[in-house]
Amino acid sequence: MKIKKLVSIFIICQSLSGCGLAQKMESDKQYKEQKKEAVFSSSGMKALEYVLKDDKITASEGGESLCKGGCSLNDAIDKANNNALGITAFYVAIHDYDGKAPSLYKIEDPSVRNPTMAEILNRFSAVFGSSILSDTGHSSDLYRDFSKDREFLGLNNVSELDFKKSIAELYKRRNEFVISISSMRDQARYNAEQIEVKRMADYDKVNPEFAVTELGNVISIEKAPALRKAFNSMPFVTRTPNSTDPRQVYAKIGKYKLTLNQVEISTKELLTECQRVSAYTGLEIENPCFNQVGNGLSNFASIIKNKSIPDLTKNTALGEATFGRIIDFDHAARLAKMHQEMCSRKNNSGYAAMVTVAVPCSGHGDVLYISVAEKAGLL
């Protein structure tokens, strides 16, 4: 009886031990699956996958791709496994990527894909251009995480010494990597801009501009004949002739659109100020003040129509004469005329100062703004 009892206990214990081992194996399996999922769902990995999907699409469209027919993730891992530097660069790219995981929504649409690619590549450029790669503490953290993650990624093992040497090499060659990645980023930005230009051209073709005239005739203020004349002189246009939204009516100054809404707000503020000053002083200056506002807007209208004045000059003058919601149109007109006169005295070469910025003259090739202080050597 005792022997039978001992045998039964032994069998039960063996069963329980086997069951515990099976549970441990299952738990380890689940942990590894969860860890692998965490690695592949990281924002850096999702960004890399987006780049590879773009590569596939580019290849299918006959464009230049990283691999013949486009790279798969396995292709990228195989290329990385060629040497320690490749393995390290691959891991650094996905580990140090700083940004949200890109969405694959509408990736087939170039107008969505190109801006997304530009943003991803910009962040990869920041990864390889970062000074943190020279931080020994960060290198140690990278290797610690690499040791935990590499098996899930399919990356070959690299000794800590070789891994850190590779990080030092990446830092040494950071300019080379940044230039290469930035070149691809700039191409993606250019592609996005071209798509937007075409989209706008198609929209403009379907929705041509119509001149909006005689807006001044609706101004009923008897004290504002100059204001009525000014609104009638503004070269307003619209692409939505049936709309009553003043934001859809605008005067073009190069690529900038000065909306009727902006002109109305500024005019209303200026006229209110005329009334305030008149009431404060007790003098009847409302009529001449209204006319001054109208004459100022007429002066700016003539500047807009003057093709001898560059659009950059007009836009800059407008910006210099904008104070919050109020645009001093007469001030803008005078600044533009002043700039044109100053440029003509120097044969339209170089820069001429306005108020806070120096703007290139029409004969100058550079179109960058330079602050007056910087131009004068004060900064």
Side-chain angles (χ1 to χ4, degrees), residues 52 56 67-81:
L52 296 174
K56 285 275 188 183
C67 301
K68 186 177 180 181
C71 281
S72 66
L73 180 57
N74 287 335
D75 291 330
I77 292 172
D78 287 343
K79 284 180 177 292
N81 278 329

Side-chain angles (χ1 to χ4, degrees), residues 234-296:
M234 283 290 290
F236 285 122
V237 295
T238 185
R239 294 188 187 279
T240 53
N242 295 324
S243 174
T244 58
D245 185 352
R247 292 170 297 184
Q248 299 300 320
V249 178
Y250 53 88
K252 293 193 297 184
I253 309 174
K255 292 183 179 180
Y256 181 71
K257 297 177 180 179
L258 174 65
T259 67
L260 172 60
N261 185 58
Q262 291 173 282
V263 176
E264 287 180 333
I265 289 173
S266 294
T267 303
K268 181 179 178 181
E269 293 283 352
L270 291 169
L271 295 183
T272 299
E273 190 61 22
C274 286
Q275 293 172 335
R276 284 169 52 83
V277 172
S278 183
Y280 179 80
T281 61
L283 301 174
E284 180 46 57
I285 62 171
E286 198 171 319
N287 284 7
C289 187
F290 275 30
N291 285 329
Q292 184 177 351
V293 172
N295 290 334

Side-chain angles (χ1 to χ4, degrees), residues 84-119:
L85 183 63
I87 292 169
T88 306
F90 184 98
Y91 189 71
V92 167
I94 63 172
H95 183 280
D96 283 4
Y97 183 87
D98 179 23
K100 293 182 180 179
S103 170
L104 294 176
Y105 179 67
K106 287 189 174 181
I107 189 173
E108 297 82 8
D109 185 348
S111 66
V112 174
R113 186 171 70 255
N114 281 294
T116 305
M117 277 293 296
E119 175 61 20

